[in-house]
Amino acid sequence: MLDYLKEFWVQFHWEAMLNSLQRLAGVLLCLTVHETCHGLAAYALGDPTAKERNRLSLNPLHHIDWLGLAAMFLCGFGWAKPVPVDMRYFKNPRRGMAITALAGPVSNFLLALVLLFSASRMYRWALPAEGPAARLFAFLLTTAVLSIGLGLFNLLPIPPLDGSKVLFALLPEGAYYTLMRYERYGMMVLLLLVWLNVGGSFLSEGIYIIYQWMVNLFF
């Protein structure tokens, strides 16, 4: 009996470790694509800052904020190292900033589509029941959910999230620059909202609706 319990305990810890590593890989993939696409959008609009600082990279180490990554695992809310953007390079600074901001969430939705399409090919070829194929299948599905969640969360119009930059671009110029000056205080507001779980159910419902819609496209 003791041998059985010992074996069960080892297997339990091994599964827990694999699940944590799988989640970490998924989070890093979503964050890396998100931040890289911010930089690519800014570069396409004439801003070389991200390229000069080696942020147009799919290497996760170039984008990790270790405190933000830890917060994501401990609190369910985190952040990556923001891509540097100098809006003075844009012909239309406010529009350029809005497009650059929007590129991140859009990239996450596109990534989710790619992941679910790949999972559907695996499913139609042969349902992965166990082993590495089953773990890869689960990774594709769970990372798609993470990517949708990251994209949708960043569309919230609360500074410093991407949605705020899109919304601010629609405001009069004076109001835009005034609100941008107070952007740093938005993080405290976000942390408070997450801690109080304000709007969490609406966000979860939104993630579920988008996920189901994407699943129905391929399965």
Side-chain angles (χ1 to χ4, degrees):
M1 182 63 178
L2 289 176
D3 290 339
Y4 171 79
L5 290 175
K6 182 178 179 181
E7 182 180 349
F8 173 80
W9 185 251
V10 170
Q11 185 175 354
F12 174 80
H13 274 272
W14 177 246
E15 280 297 314
M17 185 181 70
L18 286 177
N19 289 336
S20 296
L21 289 174
Q22 181 173 299
R23 180 175 172 80
L24 175 62
V27 168
L28 290 179
L29 175 60
C30 295
L31 290 176
T32 299
V33 169
H34 182 102
E35 294 301 328
T36 300
C37 285
H38 278 318
L40 288 172
Y43 185 66
L45 292 169
D47 177 16
T49 309
K51 180 177 175 60
E52 291 171 353
R53 299 189 187 181
N54 202 24
R55 295 298 301 278
L56 302 185
S57 169
L58 290 177
N59 182 348
L61 295 178
H62 292 172
H63 305 286
I64 290 177
D65 182 306
W66 295 105
L67 179 60
L69 187 64
M72 183 169 290
F73 276 92
L74 296 174
C75 310
F77 164 73
W79 55 90
K81 190 188 302 180
V83 165
V85 176
D86 189 341
M87 60 195 300
R88 292 174 297 180
Y89 284 103
F90 300 147
K91 292 181 180 179
N92 184 321
R94 290 199 295 160
R95 183 175 65 187
M97 199 67 191
I99 293 172
T100 299
L102 199 57
V106 169
S107 72
N108 285 127
F109 296 133
L110 292 176
L111 174 62
L113 286 170
V114 171
L115 293 168
L116 289 173
F117 173 78
S118 302
S120 71
R121 296 304 95 186
M122 287 187 68
Y123 183 84
R124 293 188 181 187
W125 177 63
L127 177 62
E130 57 184 0
R135 189 160 291 280
L136 175 59
F137 184 73
F139 171 79
L140 295 172
L141 295 180
T142 55
T143 305
V145 174
L146 289 172
S147 195
I148 293 169
L150 181 62
L152 198 58
F153 180 75
N154 271 280
L155 285 177
L156 295 175
I158 303 172
L161 298 181
D162 300 322
S164 67
K165 296 179 177 64
V166 177
L167 176 63
F168 291 174
L170 303 175
L171 300 176
E173 187 169 342
Y176 176 84
Y177 289 106
T178 298
L179 289 170
M180 288 293 283
R181 282 200 296 270
Y182 293 99
E183 184 181 40
R184 63 184 179 275
Y185 299 111
M187 183 61 74
M188 291 186 289
V189 175
L190 275 175
L191 289 171
L192 180 62
L193 292 176
V194 171
W195 183 62
L196 296 174
N197 195 30
V198 176
S201 60
F202 292 103
L203 185 62
S204 297
E205 183 67 20
I207 293 170
Y208 176 76
I209 290 171
I210 295 173
Y211 179 75
Q212 282 295 108
W213 177 77
M214 289 185 178
V215 166
N216 290 335
L217 287 177
F218 302 120
F219 286 86

